[in-house]
Amino acid sequence: MSDVYAARRGLLRDRCAAAGNAAALITRPANVRYLTGASPLGAVLLVGPSEDALFCAGAPTGEADEGRLDEHLRVTVLAGRGGDPAVAAADAASSVRADSLAVEEHHLTVARHRALRSVAPKVRLADLGTAVEQQRLVKDEGEIACLRIAAEIADQALGELLESILVGRTERHLALELERRLVDHGADGPAFPTSVGTGPHSGRSRHRPSDRRVEEGDFLSVCLGANYRGYRCEIGRTFVIGTTPADWQIELYDCVFTAQRAGREALLPGAAYREVDHAARSVLDSAGHAEALAPWTGHGVGLEIDEDPQLAPTAMGKLDACVPVTVEPGVHLPGRGGVRIDDTLVVRPEADGGPELLTITTKELLAL
Amino acid sequence: MSDVYAARRGLLRDRCAAAGNAAALITRPANVRYLTGASPLGAVLLVGPSEDALFCAGAPTGEADEGRLDEHLRVTVLAGRGGDPAVAAADAASSVRADSLAVEEHHLTVARHRALRSVAPKVRLADLGTAVEQQRLVKDEGEIACLRIAAEIADQALGELLESILVGRTERHLALELERRLVDHGADGPAFPTSVGTGPHSGRSRHRPSDRRVEEGDFLSVCLGANYRGYRCEIGRTFVIGTTPADWQIELYDCVFTAQRAGREALLPGAAYREVDHAARSVLDSAGHAEALAPWTGHGVGLEIDEDPQLAPTAMGKLDACVPVTVEPGVHLPGRGGVRIDDTLVVRPEADGGPELLTITTKELLAL
């Protein structure tokens, strides 16, 4: 495993050198984890011209303990001494006479940037931009295997919930129960705060569970995901509580389902992000739901639940094979509720069967 | 309630004006919540010379829905249009011809700061520093009431766990069960990820629960807290599993207990932060545990679980009345485990009975 991380750092090193930077300072936790296999709280990574070093605020626990840190990585622990690991890293870069250091300006605060400048006044600070995020876009099969397991876990947790009695239980309790089941099935934790919305709350993106109880006739929207070895998936489904859905519920469900299918079918290597978004969005648009739409209909997933690419009308770029994304159009009608259907898929060439659906729970409109 | 928030914003406005800034842009979520009662995802607050405005990325849900946003606050929702609410706020500041805007340089990233400059080139960006954090230090009785309820909830959840069978259960499951009980008792959620450490993991600060199972003879350290209406408390206890603790366990426990009591007793208005830290630390130092100590022995709590002040050897400043802090010395002996005892207290004058202990679970060494 450790070779994987060393190879990722090697790629970044080459990229830095090509841009004229002797070293790079990685502060964004998901990027540190991608490049080292671990991200102890507050740890930063210095990718140097020949050697790499991890600077930790406290003794690394968890992953690092489990020996997942590779041997090519020097680890410096500031514990007891306190201080900012990024400042210690800049100091180290300065003392090996690195003349320029690329930093993550989209993550580093203005105050921290100033502290780096003052500890290493002779080092020119450049912007690394989202180089590591771009490197993270296309996943290797090891990463996809983790996402596949994460999706399996989420499917299991959701499946069990559907077999239990729902009427009378609060959104908050259903969300907690789902999170417990995720961990029961082997997740390291939820991938993001589980969202459960009932009745007028249904269909709302990222709805925070409240004390509202499930009632007969409600739409029930659930969105959850598992974190498995750092990799995060997402699944969202909407159900009807009771035996016969109302006409408006069937109609709205069909519409969102059609939009979601169109989005899924548009997922092919070479497809523009905005085309995928358009495929889903235009279905809802022409059904008169333009106003109720979120600014995106899907996004990348991986070590973070919300990564590049964004599937949105103004997004620039095209899909590659082995990029995992969500497709999650939804409509929320104020006061009435709504529908959201959300899958995690991996982009695959048509010759390999097209997009690989990771979250396989049925998308039929179930009446529970 | 809305008057509280308007008054807090009034104080900040005065402080800004005194520093020569026409407006302030608040981006740190806990600060936005402190000043408005709500913090929809990504929302930023513009405190202007006469009017204040909240800029949200999406339609505000949760608190804002519940009508807790006050009428003196204009709310602008960017939903559908996308974009950074901070940029929209800077644009608004520019269009009312504010000549200077104080920003939170310790929170704002370098990239975002540049985006603000480019949308509002005529506005001078100044540093607000931690003005809002300083305002948050001393809590009002409404805030302390929330912390008191949060602590009660944590005590209840912990008390129930102690009555259940522990041997054979994993750290991860115990942590999840505690979090479920927190919500059962009315918490909005855990205040921070619950930490459960058994055997060699015990006594470790912020240990991430693993699949290790509780065994006879183990130390078991638990650290948890409830989030109640945004306010977060913390309690940590260490127990022995089985009937008779070993001599080294009794000795280590007594030592940490003595240190923690010394820290608690030092909590008085006017006491220097470093004196409180020293009171606890010196006990452990003289018992030969200097190496095993964290850089701090306590910290403030409130809307965040880790706020100012830090109780640390190099901290500058003195305690005021109505500042809630943790006192949480601990010792971890590599390979053997350790002890951590953690309370949340509110600093009160001696005439009012001295520090108010919020987390009242016993600190006797219980054998479970």
Side-chain angles (χ1 to χ4, degrees), chain A residues 214-227:
Chain A
V214 177
E215 293 174 16
E216 289 278 340
D218 275 357
F219 263 142
L220 169 69
S221 300
V222 173
C223 187
L224 74 156
N227 168 359

Side-chain angles (χ1 to χ4, degrees), chain A residues 187-212:
Chain A
D188 296 327
F192 54 90
T194 299
S195 176
V196 175
T198 62
H201 300 159
S202 59
R204 210 144 72 163
S205 168
R206 294 178 189 167
H207 170 69
R208 295 191 221 171
S210 75
D211 289 325
R212 189 181 184 285

Side-chain angles (χ1 to χ4, degrees), chain A residues 95-176:
Chain A
S95 63
V96 299
R97 294 161 193 270
D99 54 350
S100 64
L101 178 65
V103 300
E104 300 187 287
E105 291 192 352
H106 61 298
H107 179 263
L108 209 60
T109 66
V110 176
R112 245 176 139 191
H113 195 265
R114 185 182 304 122
L116 300 188
R117 270 207 317 258
S118 92
V119 74
K122 291 186 179 161
V123 178
R124 184 177 55 85
L125 296 184
D127 186 11
L128 182 64
T130 57
V132 184
E133 284 85 350
Q134 295 312 310
Q135 217 177 310
R136 284 166 49 196
L137 253 173
V138 173
K139 270 67 175 176
D140 64 35
E141 288 302 323
E143 296 181 280
I144 292 174
C146 288
L147 284 168
R148 211 177 277 129
I149 295 172
E152 259 178 55
I153 292 171
D155 276 323
Q156 285 173 320
L158 182 56
E160 288 174 359
L161 187 82
L162 300 187
E163 290 170 13
S164 64
I165 291 175
L166 299 170
V167 171
R169 297 171 70 192
T170 68
E171 294 173 359
R172 217 188 282 270
H173 273 97
L174 293 177
L176 269 169

Side-chain angles (χ1 to χ4, degrees), chain A residues 39-41 61-63 65 80 82 105-111 113-114 127 172-173 176 179-180 183-184 187-188 204 206 208 293 295, chain B residues 39-41 61-63 65 80 82 105-111 113-114 127 172-173 176 179-180 183-184 187-188 204 206 208 293 295:
Chain A
S39 60
L41 193 69
T61 63
E63 306 93 335
D65 263 14
E105 291 192 352
H106 61 298
H107 179 263
L108 209 60
T109 66
V110 176
H113 195 265
R114 185 182 304 122
D127 186 11
R172 217 188 282 270
H173 273 97
L176 269 169
E179 295 190 354
R180 185 180 59 77
V183 174
D184 279 348
D188 296 327
R204 210 144 72 163
R206 294 178 189 167
R208 295 191 221 171
L293 298 186
Chain B
S39 60
L41 194 68
T61 63
E63 306 94 331
D65 264 11
E105 291 192 351
H106 61 298
H107 179 265
L108 209 60
T109 65
V110 175
H113 194 265
R114 183 180 307 122
D127 186 11
R172 218 187 282 270
H173 272 96
L176 269 169
E179 294 189 355
R180 186 179 58 79
V183 174
D184 279 347
D188 295 326
R204 210 144 72 163
R206 292 175 190 169
R208 295 192 221 172
L293 298 186

Side-chain angles (χ1 to χ4, degrees), chain A residues 25-345:
Chain A
L25 176 64
I26 311 301
T27 49
R28 190 170 177 171
N31 290 346
V32 172
R33 181 159 187 172
Y34 178 75
L35 295 169
T36 67
S39 60
L41 193 69
V44 308
L45 171 68
L46 182 66
V47 175
S50 54
E51 201 191 33
D52 303 329
L54 190 68
F55 293 79
C56 308
T61 63
E63 306 93 335
D65 263 14
E66 292 153 27
R68 285 202 245 152
L69 280 183
D70 62 277
E71 63 270 28
H72 310 293
L73 196 61
R74 195 158 48 80
V75 177
T76 302
V77 176
L78 308 183
R81 286 178 278 161
D84 179 351
V87 169
D91 192 26
S94 169
S95 63
V96 299
R97 294 161 193 270
D99 54 350
S100 64
L101 178 65
V103 300
E104 300 187 287
E105 291 192 352
H106 61 298
H107 179 263
L108 209 60
T109 66
V110 176
R112 245 176 139 191
H113 195 265
R114 185 182 304 122
L116 300 188
R117 270 207 317 258
S118 92
V119 74
K122 291 186 179 161
V123 178
R124 184 177 55 85
L125 296 184
D127 186 11
L128 182 64
T130 57
V132 184
E133 284 85 350
Q134 295 312 310
Q135 217 177 310
R136 284 166 49 196
L137 253 173
V138 173
K139 270 67 175 176
D140 64 35
E141 288 302 323
E143 296 181 280
I144 292 174
C146 288
L147 284 168
R148 211 177 277 129
I149 295 172
E152 259 178 55
I153 292 171
D155 276 323
Q156 285 173 320
L158 182 56
E160 288 174 359
L161 187 82
L162 300 187
E163 290 170 13
S164 64
I165 291 175
L166 299 170
V167 171
R169 297 171 70 192
T170 68
E171 294 173 359
R172 217 188 282 270
H173 273 97
L174 293 177
L176 269 169
E177 179 168 332
L178 282 165
E179 295 190 354
R180 185 180 59 77
R181 290 186 188 278
L182 290 172
V183 174
D184 279 348
H185 287 292
D188 296 327
F192 54 90
T194 299
S195 176
V196 175
T198 62
H201 300 159
S202 59
R204 210 144 72 163
S205 168
R206 294 178 189 167
H207 170 69
R208 295 191 221 171
S210 75
D211 289 325
R212 189 181 184 285
R213 291 176 193 276
V214 177
E215 293 174 16
E216 289 278 340
D218 275 357
F219 263 142
L220 169 69
S221 300
V222 173
C223 187
L224 74 156
N227 168 359
Y228 181 76
R229 299 199 179 165
Y231 285 84
R232 292 154 200 265
C233 72
E234 187 173 322
I235 179 172
R237 293 290 184 269
T238 301
F239 311 98
V240 167
I241 304 297
T243 44
T244 43
D247 288 348
W248 73 273
Q249 290 178 318
I250 295 175
E251 204 176 300
L252 188 60
Y253 193 92
D254 284 347
C255 178
V256 175
F257 177 81
T258 307
Q260 205 254 357
R261 188 179 52 201
R264 280 185 283 123
E265 289 174 352
L267 290 179
L268 283 172
Y273 301 152
R274 58 172 66 169
E275 283 171 37
V276 179
D277 176 75
H278 181 74
R281 185 177 299 272
S282 58
V283 174
L284 301 175
D285 261 2
S286 42
H289 296 303
E291 279 301 300
L293 298 186
W296 36 262
T297 56
H299 55 78
V301 296
L303 287 170
E304 292 174 289
I305 191 57
D306 199 351
E307 301 196 344
D308 291 330
Q310 280 236 322
L311 305 180
T314 57
M316 299 290 285
K318 290 180 178 182
L319 286 175
D320 279 311
C322 300
V323 172
V325 294
T326 67
V327 177
E328 49 172 314
V331 173
H332 174 257
L333 307 175
R336 302 178 75 187
V339 176
R340 178 164 297 272
I341 304 175
D342 183 352
D343 279 312
T344 302
L345 306 98

